[in-house]
Amino acid sequence: MNNKLIDLSSDTVTQPSDEMRAYMCKASVGDLQKGEDPTVNELEETVADLLGKEAAVYLPSGTMCNQIAFKVHTNPGDEIIMHQESHPAHLEGGAISALCNLSVYLVPGVRGIFNSSAVTEALRPNDVLYPRSRLVFIENTHNLCGGTIWPLENIKAVVAEASKLGLACHMDGSRLLNACIAADLTPKEYCMPFDSCMIAFSKGLGAPVGSALAGSKAFIEDALHWRRAFGGAMRQAGIVAAGALYALRNNVQRLKDDHDNAKRLANGLCGMTKIDIDMDSIQTNIVVFNIAKSGMQPSQFNQELIKRGVRMSSYRGNVMRAVTHLDVTTSDIDTAINAVHDILAE
Ligand SMILES: *Cc1c(COP(=O)(O)O)cnc(C)c1O
């Protein structure tokens, strides 16, 4: 009936809607680096207000938000404490070492969440032998651990411990609005404890380009310097920033649909004997499951899915990952479940 690929490989694959495109077409623009792009200015003010920070800066990617935050918070040779499955440790092209000259202390934690004691244990002694511990990094929702949500109490405990030890704290909120919708908390409540935080517009929010980094005025002034140095300072970026504004105004509440679709997919998969899935990890729009018992490699599994009009992704081992988003309907989810049924002959 339809030839559309049901693309669950990521929530980055969304197409801007006709309405979003129309809104982008009409955007007023100017030279961003002179502070003269009205649409970017409006977006940055909107984000600062949304996250409860003094200022924000629009950047081309989430990776650049994280790396610029690291650059501002640290000096070369310093160390960042983060969960062992963190995005910057695995999926940011080695920028932590290549661009920021930092070392990383990876801590364990169930489904991407760690406790304040992990921070205490990771802190380096004040001795020339060691790197200087400088920053704690938290990912909310946690991507590789399956879109899991940091409980606010847990965040407060970790940040309190970090502050006590003299460490700054940064939150990667690429999917923070997913966490907010699922946990019924405001972005402000989640961002309050942090020195800096970022959100992405090009994930579940469905905009084509960009993320924003927020913090104090002084922090953002420094960030503007590094935006230029990292080559991320654009000019008439209002064209794309308009897509982000449109997304913030129209695509936040509907994230609940993505979460419902992820649960529906997980429920469909969890009954299959050749699939292992941790149902407690199904909290937002990401479904991670293990296909080891099928005897198939993820690449082969995905080839079979594609033959049936569905695509997922995998990062390592026998783990598959499916992400729901605004271009996926509930009936698409049922098609995906049937495709998996068919492949595994369940
Ligand atoms: C996608 C993602 C990023 C990076 O965003 P890009 O825009 O792809 O650079 C950072 N952190 C997390 C948790 C992500 O999911």
Side-chain angles (χ1 to χ4, degrees):
M1 178 185 83
N2 70 55
N3 302 317
K4 182 190 92 166
L5 176 69
I6 298 168
D7 197 347
L8 299 168
S9 63
S10 176
D11 48 7
T12 56
V13 300
T14 57
Q15 293 282 324
S17 64
D18 290 344
E19 295 79 8
M20 182 183 281
R21 285 170 190 264
Y23 188 77
M24 292 169 73
C25 270
K26 286 187 310 195
S28 312
V29 299
D31 190 337
L32 170 155
Q33 293 188 53
K34 296 187 168 67
E36 291 172 0
D37 189 301
T39 309
V40 171
N41 291 344
E42 187 183 353
L43 176 64
E44 292 178 345
E45 281 160 28
T46 304
V47 170
D49 192 48
L50 180 73
L51 305 186
K53 296 295 177 201
E54 283 176 6
V57 54
Y58 181 53
L59 292 167
S61 72
T63 297
M64 196 178 277
C65 287
N66 283 337
Q67 297 302 324
I68 287 181
F70 297 163
K71 201 73 191 166
V72 175
H73 284 302
T74 67
N75 292 307
D78 287 349
E79 190 161 80
I80 312 187
I81 296 164
M82 60 175 66
H83 186 268
Q84 59 196 15
E85 301 289 348
S86 293
H87 195 277
H90 298 285
L91 300 173
E92 297 189 6
I96 297 185
S97 57
L99 302 183
C100 294
N101 313 112
L102 299 169
S103 66
V104 181
Y105 196 109
L106 298 176
V107 301
V110 179
R111 299 186 193 93
I113 319 295
F114 52 88
N115 298 322
S116 61
S117 59
V119 177
T120 325
E121 284 162 28
L123 184 82
R124 301 289 196 167
N126 186 10
D127 183 304
V128 293
L129 286 175
Y130 302 99
R132 292 176 167 124
S133 308
R134 190 74 70 183
L135 180 70
V136 174
F137 170 92
I138 281 175
E139 199 173 306
N140 190 23
T141 67
H142 200 286
N143 183 341
L144 287 183
C145 291
T148 47
I149 301 168
W150 272 78
L152 187 56
E153 287 317 306
N154 212 317
I155 284 183
K156 286 182 177 164
V158 164
V159 176
E161 178 66 7
S163 310
K164 200 179 93 191
L165 303 176
L167 309 175
C169 292
H170 171 74
M171 177 166 63
D172 176 338
S174 290
R175 296 186 182 81
L176 179 66
L177 298 175
N178 292 85
C180 290
I181 293 294
D184 198 20
L185 286 166
T186 63
K188 274 198 186 79
E189 287 173 290
Y190 261 132
C191 294
M192 184 108 62
F194 291 93
D195 298 289
S196 58
C197 46
M198 61 78 109
I199 56 169
F201 309 114
S202 56
K203 300 275 166 81
L205 291 183
V209 180
S211 292
L213 174 64
S216 69
K217 277 209 175 81
F219 175 87
I220 294 299
E221 261 167 42
D222 255 0
L224 292 183
H225 178 90
W226 290 111
R227 172 173 72 174
R228 177 71 187 170
F230 280 6
M234 299 174 280
R235 298 293 180 180
Q236 283 70 25
I239 293 274
V240 280
L245 267 175
Y246 182 92
L248 282 179
R249 286 174 190 153
N250 296 280
N251 293 346
V252 176
Q253 292 309 317
R254 62 150 308 286
L255 290 171
K256 179 167 190 316
D257 300 343
D258 299 344
H259 302 169
D260 291 345
N261 279 336
K263 281 214 176 64
R264 188 180 182 93
L265 177 62
N267 282 332
L269 298 176
C270 83
M272 302 187 200
T273 56
K274 292 173 193 149
I275 284 181
D276 284 309
I277 183 165
D278 169 14
M279 290 303 285
D280 289 339
S281 76
I282 312 300
Q283 301 177 8
T284 55
N285 71 329
I286 303 179
V287 179
V288 164
F289 59 98
N290 193 305
I291 57 166
K293 285 183 193 148
S294 73
M296 292 174 89
Q297 291 301 312
S299 55
Q300 184 192 1
F301 187 78
N302 221 7
Q303 283 309 315
E304 291 301 322
L305 281 172
I306 288 166
K307 282 186 203 160
R308 292 162 178 83
V310 179
R311 184 167 77 163
M312 298 184 185
S313 59
S314 95
Y315 283 110
R316 82 184 81 167
N318 298 300
V319 177
M320 296 297 302
R321 179 173 175 272
V323 188
T324 58
H325 53 74
L326 48 70
D327 290 342
V328 173
T329 65
T330 302
S331 89
D332 290 342
I333 294 298
D334 293 339
T335 304
I337 295 168
N338 287 335
V340 176
H341 249 285
D342 195 32
I343 293 166
L344 299 178
E346 298 248 7

